[in-house]
């Protein structure tokens, strides 16, 4: 099971970027996302995507991130530009345990660096939690997310010209 924790969500400033973190988590094979600040509108947006495009991805907002991390029974990976090299560290992550991938927004408190089993950088330049999560999940799943079946009401068929989709009736 792959879970994602998004820290420091501010509903008015971060609506779009946190939505993108959640959409990347879902598309790139995570099973659930936790957001530290309560945001019912964000929950509705992501649940609506799951309803139309499929899968059992879940979103929970208003989660106490400190308690979640303290009580996590699997592996915790924190993505930070200060972390260890992705290429050297991914092979060390145990595959038989649940994994919690933590991404920040502004300054991440030292608690999360200290409680992570692995602090991993996606390069050592500052960029984005969306990009960091996508690249981490791509590498961690070895690209298997591309074959994930979603079985939604809307099924998009790859096409080299135009839009090709099937919409299932209820
Ligand atoms: N100043 C912040 C810090 O101290 O980490 C960086 C803020 S950045 C806009 C937001 C989040 O994106 C970070 O908390 C981290 O999870 C992710 N991120 C940004 N650049 C990254 C990188 N090079 N490697 C891994 N994660 C990165």
């Amino acid at each position: 099971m792959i879970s994602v924790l998004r820290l420091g969500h501010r509903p008015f400033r971060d609506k779009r970027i946190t939505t993108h973190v959640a959409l990347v988590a879902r598309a790139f094979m995570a099973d659930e996302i936790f957001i530290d600040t309560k945001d019912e509108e964000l929950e509705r947006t992501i649940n609506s995507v799951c309803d139309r495009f499929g899968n059992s991805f879940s979103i929970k907002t208003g989660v106490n991130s400190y308690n979640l991390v303290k009580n996590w029974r699997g592996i915790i990976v924190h993505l930070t530009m200060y972390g260890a090299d992705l290429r050297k560290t991914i092979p060390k992550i145990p595959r038989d345990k649940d994994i919690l991938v933590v991404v920040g927004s502004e300054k991440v408190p030292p608690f999360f660096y200290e409680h992570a089993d692995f602090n991993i950088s996606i390069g050592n330049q500052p960029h984005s939690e969306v990009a960091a999560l996508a690249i981490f999940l791509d590498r961690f799943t070895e690209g298997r997310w591309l074959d994930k079946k979603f079985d939604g009401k809307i099924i998009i068929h790859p096409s080299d010209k135009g839009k090709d989709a099937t919409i299932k009736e209820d």
Side-chain angles (χ1 to χ4, degrees), residues 6 78-82 102-108 113 120-130 132:
R6 198 293 198 251
H78 170 222
L79 301 182
T80 164
M81 65 179 172
Y82 301 102
V102 182
V103 294
S105 53
E106 286 192 319
K107 196 170 163 19
V108 173
Y113 290 82
I120 298 182
S121 61
I122 313 295
N124 299 110
Q125 299 300 315
H127 46 79
S128 143
E129 47 274 53
V130 179

Side-chain angles (χ1 to χ4, degrees), residues 2 5 11 17 20 30 76 105 125 136 139:
I2 304 176
L5 168 62
I17 197 139
H20 288 183
I76 299 176
S105 53
Q125 299 300 315
F136 173 77
R139 298 287 182 101

Side-chain angles (χ1 to χ4, degrees), residues 18-23 26 33 35 40-52 57-59:
T18 306
T19 302
H20 288 183
V21 170
L23 292 177
R26 173 184 169 275
I33 187 164
I35 316 279
E40 285 172 359
E41 193 186 334
L42 178 65
E43 288 183 8
R44 277 194 294 277
T45 303
I46 299 305
N47 286 332
S48 158
V49 172
C50 294
D51 189 43
R52 286 175 291 138
F57 183 80
S58 80
I59 176 164

